[in-house]
Amino acid sequence: MITIDSLTKTYGHTTVVHDTTYTARAGRVTGFLGPNGAGKSTSMRMMVGLTPPTSGTATISGRHFADLPNPGREVGVMLDASAQHAGRTGREILTIAQQIMDVPADRVLRMLELVSLTEAEAERRVGNYSLGMRQRLGIASALMGDPPVLILDEPANGLDPAGIRWMRDLLRDYADRGGTVLLSSHLLAEIEIIADDIVMIGQGRIVCQGSKADLLAAAGTVVRAADILALQRALSAAGLPSTVSGDGSLRTDAVAALVGQAAYNGGVVLTELRSADSGGLEEMFLELTADTQRERTAA
Amino acid sequence: MTAITIDHVYERRTEIPRVPLTREVRVELRKMFDTRSGFWLIASIGIAGLLATVATIAFAPDKDLTYYNFAAAIGFPITVILPMVALLSITSEWSQRSGLTTFTLVPNRRRVVVAKTIASIAVAIASMLFAFAVGAVGTVVGSAIAGTSLVWDLSLGHALTIVLGNLTCLLTGTMLGMLIRSSAGGLVVYFVYTLLLPTLSGILATSQSWFKDLQPWVDLNYAQGFLFEGMDSGAQWAHVAVTVTVWIVLPGIVGLRLVMRSEVK
């Protein structure tokens, strides 16, 4: 479990991470979502002691990272897959990790297998690796010590669709066995596929957090009927404000059960009733980060 | 109802022992050799030593085929190259960004620096033993070829001050590595330290009489010369102590503070 309490980082007059509090729980994959420059990487560096926080604390299983006796066996960390000496071979990088953690030597081969790097690839120098291969090597290195906690910064970057699916299965299995995973991404779709819980950050502030299911429900409901006007009347009769979307459906903030009840009371036949999942979350993502993101929508 | 048991493998944790310093030293030693550049840098010490031996036999006048001259010729490349090995072992963590991994596996950066320094000293001592051994072979072979008698003109005491001199060179590299934390910048400053400053100091000493008496107290390279050529007065030890403190220990302490506090990105 990772516990972040009032974590803040200030450079001069610029506050990069502003009083953030959240947790990543065991047995869950927590997605750390935010646009570029939102403070995700700085936050993660503070968790693992590479950047000193201005104030606040980050603890892993109740302890500060610096107090862990053998961190590699407690927390698997991958902050930047490209941050390796280009002159070392993939196998050598894993061997160094294996030796410092003091885990059995055969784990190097097992980790190579786990991330599907071949023997021949492992003998090549990392300078010649593609980004996808570096990500795989970084995952192998993070998992070397069989740690109960994983901290991964943009792990899906550079992976092809099959690679992203592989990573999802790997992390799903890891969390199901009781592990804690915190992974960051600036891509909503990735987080939606992989994460159970979501922590959304924009310009250094946590804009929302919760389970994916709750956040999806909060994103509202999409409902469609043969007679859209009758549906709208039924909803407003039940006190549920709604808006007509471009595709002829209605959107409302109410949960599906309330919407269904309202339609039933109004005698309206529904043709579709669902939570406003991906589209809704994306809208929320853009909305919540609208005043904090770099791109301004042309009015 | 079927109970589904999930294997919570991560709850059966026992206390894991702390990473011992010996293991860190072993890994840091490995990291000095496991890249192409690192390997050839250290291999060049051996290659340069052998070339120096051959050159001494071929070109030195017969009366100079003594053990001290051989050991000095072989030792010279060591004094130049070893500090670079020590420097690069530290700066590469920043320049190659491998520090992201190194400092998350061992968060105590002082321990990492200590491990790197011990590893550098181990390489230095191995290189010097190599120099003394090749020097002995060179002396025997050289005098046999020239037909001169064997001259073993290096006392144990003198050998130890040479070792000490080499270590001060080595620690210059360690200090600059911590202070600059960039491979390119570190090497530039290293050459300023070992080539440019001694030259300026030498020019100043020959042209300004007031500086001549001051030179041994402020010129690190000049004071290190005493260690290599053999100490013959307490004043020289004082010169060494003062210059090493000012040029290596004090900036080293600043460098260590920077290493401890700087952000690793």
Side-chain angles (χ1 to χ4, degrees):
Chain A
M1 172 149 156
I2 304 168
T3 312
I4 307 301
D5 186 18
S6 313
L7 199 61
T8 301
K9 181 66 191 178
T10 309
Y11 294 100
H13 294 295
T14 320
T15 302
V16 180
V17 177
H18 189 98
D19 193 18
T20 56
T21 299
Y22 50 96
T23 55
R25 287 183 288 155
R28 319 257 309 167
V29 177
T30 303
F32 197 25
L33 176 67
N36 293 322
K40 302 187 295 291
S41 297
T42 306
S43 297
M44 286 180 147
R45 279 206 312 276
M46 287 194 281
M47 288 174 210
V48 299
L50 291 178
T51 293
T54 305
S55 63
T57 56
T59 57
I60 288 151
S61 314
R63 285 188 287 184
H64 288 284
F65 191 88
D67 297 333
L68 300 174
N70 187 344
R73 310 249 311 247
E74 306 267 359
V75 196
V77 181
M78 184 183 74
L79 294 186
D80 185 342
S82 296
Q84 289 293 354
H85 197 301
R88 291 202 177 99
T89 65
R91 178 196 293 273
E92 180 61 23
I93 283 168
L94 293 186
T95 305
I96 288 171
Q98 172 260 322
Q99 291 201 344
I100 204 92
M101 293 176 199
D102 195 31
V103 291
D106 67 347
R107 280 194 69 82
V108 171
L109 266 183
R110 283 179 48 202
M111 291 302 111
L112 283 171
E113 261 168 44
L114 181 72
V115 301
S116 309
L117 284 175
T118 66
E119 291 269 319
E121 285 168 337
E123 299 304 330
R124 278 163 56 187
R125 290 172 200 277
V126 173
N128 301 321
Y129 275 27
S130 68
L131 181 55
M133 287 165 71
R134 287 175 204 212
Q135 295 282 18
R136 286 171 187 269
L137 186 70
I139 299 280
S141 182
L143 289 171
M144 180 64 69
D146 194 25
V149 177
L150 277 183
I151 295 178
L152 309 170
D153 197 1
E154 303 268 357
N157 244 2
L159 290 178
D160 52 23
I164 291 180
R165 195 203 171 103
W166 160 81
M167 174 157 314
R168 178 188 67 185
D169 294 346
L170 182 87
L171 297 180
R172 180 76 273 142
D173 174 63
Y174 178 88
D176 286 347
R177 288 189 294 130
T180 306
V181 184
L182 178 67
L183 87 163
S184 74
S185 177
H186 62 281
L187 297 176
L188 177 69
E190 268 173 25
I191 292 285
E192 234 189 328
I193 291 172
I194 302 176
D196 304 311
D197 295 327
I198 295 175
V199 175
M200 219 186 266
I201 186 170
Q203 274 206 351
R205 292 166 196 268
I206 301 299
V207 284
C208 75
Q209 56 180 313
S211 74
K212 186 170 67 181
D214 286 350
L215 291 178
L216 286 178
T221 304
V222 173
V223 59
R224 214 185 278 266
D227 185 350
I228 202 80
L229 290 174
L231 175 62
Q232 205 163 16
R233 277 197 302 276
L235 288 181
S236 55
L240 307 176
S242 61
T243 52
V244 183
S245 301
D247 61 356
S249 64
L250 283 186
R251 271 203 57 171
T252 168
D253 288 339
V255 296
L258 283 178
V259 176
Q261 186 64 48
Y264 176 80
N265 292 346
V268 180
V269 177
L270 296 184
T271 55
E272 188 179 1
L273 175 62
R274 60 177 172 86
S275 67
D277 47 49
S278 64
L281 198 55
E282 181 166 24
E283 207 157 286
M284 187 164 67
F285 177 49
L286 293 175
E287 210 174 277
L288 286 172
T289 55
D291 49 334
T292 58
Q293 71 178 353
R294 287 158 198 276
E295 282 78 34
R296 303 262 165 212
T297 319
Chain B
M1 196 177 142
T2 318
I4 299 168
T5 51
I6 295 171
D7 186 15
H8 283 274
V9 288
Y10 297 117
E11 285 181 4
R12 46 104 188 116
R13 289 266 146 186
T14 50
E15 189 58 30
I16 298 164
R18 187 178 151 98
V19 179
L21 188 63
T22 48
R23 204 195 295 156
E24 283 177 49
V25 172
R26 206 176 62 221
V27 169
E28 289 302 337
L29 207 49
R30 185 187 177 107
K31 283 161 70 177
M32 287 181 179
F33 290 89
D34 69 357
T35 62
R36 213 173 280 170
S37 54
F39 174 81
W40 283 108
L41 201 55
I42 292 173
S44 67
I45 294 175
I47 295 166
L50 293 174
L51 289 177
T53 311
V54 172
T56 306
I57 293 174
F59 304 121
D62 286 357
K63 68 171 175 55
D64 284 346
L65 294 177
T66 69
Y67 184 55
Y68 172 73
N69 284 332
F70 273 105
I74 299 157
F76 178 69
I78 296 178
T79 63
V80 178
I81 296 168
L82 270 183
M84 291 199 261
V85 173
L87 182 142
L88 289 172
S89 82
I90 293 174
T91 56
S92 68
E93 300 288 0
W94 277 267
S95 285
Q96 296 280 346
R97 302 183 63 220
S98 50
L100 250 68
T101 306
T102 306
F103 297 127
T104 46
L105 290 179
V106 182
N108 186 338
R109 297 183 198 171
R110 191 185 296 126
R111 274 170 72 90
V112 174
V113 169
V114 167
K116 283 176 184 296
T117 309
I118 293 173
S120 309
I121 290 173
V123 173
I125 290 185
S127 312
M128 284 182 267
L129 290 178
F130 168 82
F132 287 134
V134 174
V137 173
T139 310
V140 172
V141 173
S143 55
I145 292 173
T148 56
S149 56
L150 291 170
V151 183
W152 303 102
D153 55 348
L154 183 65
S155 67
L156 181 64
H158 190 183
L160 288 177
T161 62
I162 291 179
V163 170
L164 199 60
N166 266 311
L167 290 182
T168 61
C169 291
L170 179 84
L171 291 176
T172 305
T174 307
M175 176 276 291
L176 288 176
M178 293 192 291
L179 201 60
I180 313 282
R181 301 188 308 288
S182 143
S183 296
L187 288 177
V188 168
V189 178
Y190 169 66
F191 284 115
V192 168
Y193 237 72
T194 55
L195 295 178
L196 192 61
L197 289 183
T199 311
L200 291 179
S201 163
I203 293 170
L204 205 58
T206 48
S207 61
Q208 304 287 322
S209 53
W210 60 267
F211 187 72
K212 190 142 180 44
D213 295 333
L214 205 57
Q215 191 182 20
W217 295 101
V218 295
D219 186 338
L220 173 66
N221 198 267
Y222 191 83
Q224 281 171 326
F226 301 143
L227 288 170
F228 287 105
E229 282 149 28
M231 311 288 283
D232 54 15
S233 73
Q236 291 184 339
W237 282 107
H239 297 149
V240 169
V242 168
T243 50
V244 165
T245 303
V246 170
W247 289 98
I248 300 178
V249 177
L250 294 180
I253 291 170
V254 174
L256 186 60
R257 284 185 70 88
L258 291 172
V259 165
M260 302 290 293
R261 291 165 51 167
S262 79
E263 237 184 311
V264 182
K265 290 191 172 180

